[in-house]
Amino acid sequence: MMEGYAKAMEEPKEQVRRLIIDPTIDSNKKLSLIYSVHRLGLTYIFLKEIEGQLEELFRNFKLEDYVEVDLYTTSINFQVFRHLGYRLPCDVFNNFQDVDSNTFKEHITSDVRGMLGLYESAQLRLKGEKILGDALTFTETKLKTLVTTLKGSLAQQVIQSLKRPFHRGMPMLEARLYFSNYQQECTMHDSLLKLANLHFNYLQLQQKEELRIVSQWWKDMRFQETAPYIRDRVPEIYLWMLGLYFEPSYSLARIIVTKITLFLMVLDDTCDAYATIEEIRLLTDAITRWDIGAMSQIPEYIRPFYKILLDEYAELEKQLTKEGHASRVIASKQAFKDIARGYLKEAEWTNKGCVASFPEYMKNGLITSAHNVISKSALVGMGEVVSEDALAWYASHPKILQASELISRLQDDIMTYQFERERGQSATSIDAYMKTYGVLEMEAIDELKKMIENAWEDINEGCLKPRQVSMDLLAPILNLARMIDVVYRYNDGLTFPETTFKEYITLLFIGSLPMHE
């Protein structure tokens, strides 16, 4: 069936490719087409053609060309350039502000599509882009009051965007929602709609097969029998990793990173909810030694897990040594040892009943957010795009990586701290912030939310050209931050998967797309 879909995709692919490079299409229409291609998750298929078009349009960019352009078109153009790494200036929105009062002109409130575009554009702001900061506040307020008066697909678009803007969503899911909510935009090009439809069906078959492989592996390892206290979350963790990259070529990478993240969950639940402090110390020591000889020192119930962990990594190392990529497995293993030590430190704090200072908490908390393990493990199966230089760049701990880690830690804490308190868990960043700076809970939360927004601006900056590494390597870092938003914006989606995950798993793996004729 997958072969059938792949064959069927060839013709519409060619048609879309011809449209992208067609010199007779005017630039606004061209950018609008590229925008739809991007929103449908098809950019990777036409990357060379799209970059060629954008390079030229960006080179010829003149601010005065935007004086007469409406808000919707300006927003679409702005988003295309920014999403694909071009630093289009935010001054393109100047005409929509009143020069004297620096507020947005009231007449734009009657243009709902334009305001929605401006709201989505504001998500891509960088440090110091005041006009986009103002745009965010303005459009969010207006759209919230307007939404109840809207009908049809426009209502759906606004609801979806206010719930989660495209830039902070899971790419695969956002593509699926765009397909449903923006039919009108897609039907302008029949070949695009046809391609998107076949592409979804192709990916769905591939991803269901990956999920089947991982689920079978989890059952075969019998974790639920040997450690019945752990959360059983295979589809949820797989979906989370699918959020990092959905391209067909990363099939193996997804399987590997899902398995490693499931190991992480076993370790986390063991340290959090089951083991005594003494047992955690023994287990951490064994993981640090990474030696089957350490088996006798750890509690009986966790031995099967320890053996499987060592075996899986040994198998990965053997496999990747053949390909000359053993260093990636070593980096992932090192990150796994680090997080084990981080979990122990948290457990020691809880055991002593002490709340760390905020800087001290954050130093350890960035490790226990699991971001480091997941982002390094995500590289293991990615193939040739991960060079030694790329690994060195990762090891240098660049700003975009720090920002993504910070979001992982703080967003998680803001959503789970009450539940953690009830479970008698260790103090979170909120408790640490309150203690260190002598503020009340709500003030601490507000400050942490500001830190998250600042971190998003750093991520946006880090994705723009000239980049130090290719977007292939930046994408998992950006997408990890997005998945944290998906899982933790409204609730603790991992502990209570029926809230968010269930809907997404149903949409991506169970619901089929109506075939487009």
Side-chain angles (χ1 to χ4, degrees), residues 170-172 238-246 475 479-480 483:
M170 173 185 177
M172 180 77 201
Y238 171 74
L239 189 83
W240 197 321
M241 299 310 120
L242 175 61
L244 304 190
Y245 30 44
F246 62 81
N479 287 334
L480 253 176
M483 286 310 291

Side-chain angles (χ1 to χ4, degrees), residues 142-283:
K142 296 286 184 208
L143 288 169
K144 278 179 177 165
T145 50
L146 270 170
V147 69
T148 49
T149 65
L150 302 173
K151 296 204 166 40
S153 64
L154 188 59
Q156 273 316 107
Q157 292 168 13
V158 174
I159 290 165
Q160 181 54 39
S161 235
L162 286 172
K163 182 181 168 190
R164 179 170 294 103
F166 163 66
H167 184 48
R168 297 208 183 169
M170 173 185 177
M172 180 77 201
L173 186 86
E174 289 298 325
R176 182 69 185 77
L177 291 167
Y178 185 81
F179 188 86
S180 309
N181 296 340
Y182 288 80
Q183 281 289 321
Q184 196 188 339
E185 284 78 353
C186 301
T187 42
M188 285 173 14
H189 304 288
D190 205 47
S191 50
L192 180 61
L193 205 57
K194 191 170 182 182
L195 176 61
N197 200 306
L198 292 161
H199 184 246
F200 281 123
N201 287 314
Y202 178 87
L203 291 186
Q204 189 181 58
L205 285 177
Q206 183 187 40
Q207 290 158 8
K208 277 166 92 162
E209 178 57 15
E210 290 165 12
L211 179 55
R212 188 194 66 74
I213 290 168
V214 177
S215 304
Q216 191 56 56
W217 169 82
W218 178 257
K219 286 194 182 93
D220 292 345
M221 296 301 137
R222 300 180 31 225
F223 286 119
Q224 289 313 114
E225 291 165 48
T226 54
Y229 53 85
I230 56 179
R231 290 170 289 182
D232 191 359
R233 294 283 182 277
V234 179
E236 291 84 354
I237 295 289
Y238 171 74
L239 189 83
W240 197 321
M241 299 310 120
L242 175 61
L244 304 190
Y245 30 44
F246 62 81
E247 295 83 350
S249 59
Y250 296 138
S251 186
L252 177 67
R254 282 189 287 276
I255 292 170
I256 292 171
V257 72
T258 303
K259 286 181 180 180
I260 293 173
T261 308
L262 285 164
F263 282 142
L264 216 50
M265 201 168 62
V266 177
L267 181 64
D268 186 23
D269 286 354
T270 303
C271 295
D272 248 14
Y274 194 77
T276 64
I277 186 72
E278 193 42 51
E279 288 172 339
I280 298 173
R281 286 178 193 138
L282 294 170
L283 179 58

Side-chain angles (χ1 to χ4, degrees), residues 371-387:
H371 189 287
N372 191 30
V373 182
I374 295 172
S375 64
K376 284 194 175 134
S377 305
L379 303 175
V380 174
M382 275 179 78
E384 295 309 318
V385 292
V386 186
S387 62

Side-chain angles (χ1 to χ4, degrees), residues 306-326:
Y306 185 68
K307 183 173 178 345
I308 294 165
L309 176 70
L310 266 54
D311 288 349
E312 281 287 334
Y313 265 101
E315 191 48 49
L316 273 178
E317 214 163 326
K318 202 168 85 185
Q319 207 179 324
L320 274 101
T321 304
K322 278 186 209 146
E323 296 160 24
H325 299 316

Side-chain angles (χ1 to χ4, degrees), residues 318-350:
K318 202 168 85 185
Q319 207 179 324
L320 274 101
T321 304
K322 278 186 209 146
E323 296 160 24
H325 299 316
S327 49
R328 300 178 201 179
V329 186
I330 294 161
S332 167
K333 192 195 292 184
Q334 190 50 53
F336 204 96
K337 292 178 182 182
D338 291 343
I339 200 170
R341 288 191 284 267
Y343 286 155
L344 172 62
K345 186 169 258 187
E346 279 182 355
E348 297 283 11
W349 285 338
T350 309

Side-chain angles (χ1 to χ4, degrees), residues 126-144:
L126 308 173
K127 294 237 181 324
E129 293 191 317
K130 186 177 178 305
I131 188 167
L132 291 179
D134 296 345
L136 182 69
T137 318
F138 177 79
T139 51
E140 189 168 18
T141 312
K142 296 286 184 208
L143 288 169
K144 278 179 177 165

